[in-house]
Amino acid sequence: MAEFVSTQHDNDLCSVTAAGEVDIATVEEFLDVVRSALDTGASAVELDLSGVTFIDSSGLGALVRLRSEAVGRDVRLELTKVPAKVSRILELTGLAGVFLDPESD
Amino acid sequence: MGETGTTPGIKMPEMRTTPESESRQVRPAERSAVLASSTRPSRHPVRVAAVIGIVCLILTAASTWASARVDANAEQRLLNVQAKQVSAVLSTAILLIQEPLTTALSVERVASGASGPTSFTRLMAAYVAPDKLFASASLWKRTGTAIVRVAQVGVPPDMIPGRPQTRAYLRNAFHTKGFTVRAVNAGTQDRIAYAEADPGSGYVVYAERTIPTNRRAAVDNNSAFSELHYAIYLGRTISPGALSTTDVDPRALPLTGTTAKVAVPFGDTVLTVVVSPSHHLGASLGQRLPLILLLGGLLLSLTAAPVGYQLVRRRRDAEENAVTITKLFERVDVLYGEQRDLSVKLQRALLPHSNPEIPNLEIASEYVAGAQGVDIGGDWYSIIGLGDEQFGFVVGDVSGRGIDAVAVMAHARFTLRAYLLDGDSPQTALEKCSRQFDISADDHITTVVVGLGNWRTGEVTLASAGHPAPLLVTSDGADYVHVEPGRPLGAGSGAYQPTTVNLVPGTTLFLFTDGLVERRNEDIDTGLDRLAVTVSAASAQPVDRLVAHALRTLRDEDASDDIAVLAIRWDPSR
């Protein structure tokens, strides 16, 4: 069970709030919502993960994919308000450098 | 399904009745209901339509007949009433005819001969004329045995004095109370003869009244006859000869259909009046109702039959569809089962059938499939002997489920194996591999831990692509090797940091996938700690028992994630 909401703040920034579980059951919806945020023409998309309670390998895969799609569109994709549980997972799976380090490629 | 180190197998859990799999099976109650309904007799639409049509026609015929009967009965009753009215009217008319005769007799009696024939003539003159009551009237007197005509008004009567019939007839009048009547024929004219006698005075009044030759007398619109056809017969018998008057063509007699007959006293005889309606006596609805019912009923029959046919046919088609759907469900069940079997076989084919015998190593492994549905996961383990006293091992986990995850797993497994066989170090193998995977193309990321060890020295080098580090289990306990995780395969190319450990004899390296430690409502570290505790508790056991213990303790029966476990114990004293 999860809810993903996309809000456009102004022409330049779009934020997506994710709440609940990002796993194999909800990952398709998650991808759809963030992709449409990437399509809005905003120069940056912010992913607010403060409400995320669980993320599995499918969810991580989705994040990786969205990141490469954002790079392809020249949009900055940033994870914000990452809860400790999620950042620990990112650490253990070697993705912390990708998502949590703003200087990464 | 062995749990020993030499013949690892895939532990297949029982097919659980999860909501997903339930929906793919037709519930037995539904299935039997569908089958039961298909054997009911209403499967012949033509028969049903015919039955409906016939029933409607029968009902139409019955109701039409019934309403016609009701109407006929009503007509008869009304006609009977009218006949009584006619009877009353005729009785009155008869009295009017009789009255002059009776008056004439009274006059004569009173006058007793004094006035004689003149009073009679004067009296009767008012009644005798071609267009009046009588055509002829005469007064007769009995003197002794003879009867003599005394007066005469109008045309000569048909009765000739002196004839025996005359005398007989007049004499008869004396014997009759009231007047007598008989039909006479005066040449071209038919007449009714009336005779009334007064025995006291000896006078007899005789009059003749014309009846139309053709017997036709039209009906007066305001009279009792206005809605009727009638035929009046003199006497009790209905025969053409006895016909007095009628309003129809005498050749069309006797009257048929609804008729009523009354006998009206007429002198010493009767008038038999037969009437029949010339118009419908009752309300017009009563007359029309049978036709309405007939037409309505026919229309209903014509529409009900096709409607019934359609309904039954649709029902039959629906039942056949239901049977087809049930069969399809059953087929889907079978295919579903087949697909799962196929997937399991595929996975079984991809996993090692048996672990190699490697000197100084005690090896145990296990793969446990996830509980859910037909999709299989992409976890694997692998261990191979390499040249130069070395061995290589891999434990990996492809994200998601399904056949394409298994395809990615196969790709990763065999690619890494090839690099290891080629002599690459774990980090090099991973680095090379990382360039070959891309989530955008593969749809999955893969975490792997790769190890290269020397079974003589006990030195092991490990590298990890986003995978949990292995546990190092000794008699002192279990600790995770510190391996810096690089990016999972598919998340971009990169470098990997190797870690080298030197095993102490008896140490077990315990590798696993995250299905063994990850729980939805927990931090991952909690699961990792729990695993360490569990494994260290069985550290003295043979590796296969150790693996079984870990799985038994930690595996969540309903968990959907699959698990791969590889345990390697280095024991140079073996």
Side-chain angles (χ1 to χ4, degrees), chain B residues 221-461:
Chain B
N221 277 345
N222 289 333
S223 72
F225 293 84
S226 62
E227 289 181 304
L228 307 174
H229 292 304
Y230 70 91
I232 303 178
Y233 299 85
L234 181 61
R236 289 191 188 276
T237 47
I238 297 168
S239 66
L243 179 65
S244 168
T245 45
T246 176
D247 72 320
V248 301
D249 186 339
R251 289 170 294 188
L253 293 174
L255 293 170
T256 52
T258 311
T259 59
K261 192 171 78 173
V262 281
V264 183
F266 189 43
D268 61 339
T269 179
V270 294
L271 281 177
T272 303
V273 186
V274 179
V275 291
S276 74
S278 59
H279 304 90
H280 192 258
L281 297 177
S284 61
L285 179 64
Q287 187 182 25
R288 292 195 193 123
L289 194 60
L291 187 64
I292 291 171
L293 288 174
L294 181 68
L295 291 176
L298 283 175
L299 198 66
L300 183 69
S301 312
L302 285 174
T303 52
V307 166
Y309 172 81
Q310 282 298 331
L311 286 174
V312 173
R313 217 183 76 178
R314 274 194 211 143
R315 195 203 155 105
R316 184 188 65 181
D317 290 347
E319 284 171 4
E320 282 172 356
N321 286 345
V323 169
T324 307
I325 287 170
T326 307
K327 289 196 179 129
L328 285 173
F329 269 134
E330 287 168 2
R331 185 91 189 104
V332 166
D333 271 353
V334 166
L335 288 173
Y336 182 69
E338 281 175 7
Q339 194 184 354
R340 174 139 185 136
D341 287 347
L342 200 66
S343 304
V344 165
K345 279 185 186 143
L346 175 65
Q347 192 154 47
R348 208 171 290 184
L350 289 172
L351 286 177
H353 294 131
S354 60
N355 288 328
E357 292 282 351
I358 298 174
N360 298 340
L361 294 186
E362 202 188 330
I363 302 165
S365 58
E366 193 67 66
Y367 171 82
V368 181
Q372 204 167 324
V374 76
D375 285 343
I376 49 173
D379 289 8
W380 86 95
Y381 63 84
S382 156
I383 178 163
I384 49 168
L386 304 167
D388 295 337
E389 301 168 340
Q390 291 188 310
F391 62 98
F393 54 95
V394 176
V395 170
D397 181 353
V398 180
S399 69
R401 316 179 64 77
I403 286 293
D404 41 325
V406 171
V408 171
M409 179 264 267
H411 183 190
R413 177 172 164 217
F414 292 113
T415 310
L416 286 169
R417 176 192 166 99
Y419 289 137
L420 287 175
L421 281 167
D422 216 26
D424 284 336
S425 64
Q427 62 274 23
T428 308
L430 281 176
E431 196 181 334
K432 285 184 182 172
C433 225
S434 70
R435 289 186 226 126
Q436 296 184 22
F437 288 82
D438 185 346
I439 188 169
S440 314
D442 308 320
D443 278 347
H444 301 273
I445 55 171
T446 309
T447 65
V448 205
V449 65
V450 180
L452 185 66
N454 186 305
W455 49 260
R456 188 178 292 288
T457 65
E459 185 187 86
V460 175
T461 304

Side-chain angles (χ1 to χ4, degrees), chain B residues 179-207:
Chain B
F179 65 98
T180 64
V181 176
R182 97 175 168 175
V184 295
N185 182 278
T188 55
Q189 276 192 336
D190 293 315
R191 294 198 194 140
I192 304 270
Y194 302 81
E196 194 166 346
D198 183 359
S201 64
Y203 279 106
V204 176
V205 175
Y206 178 78

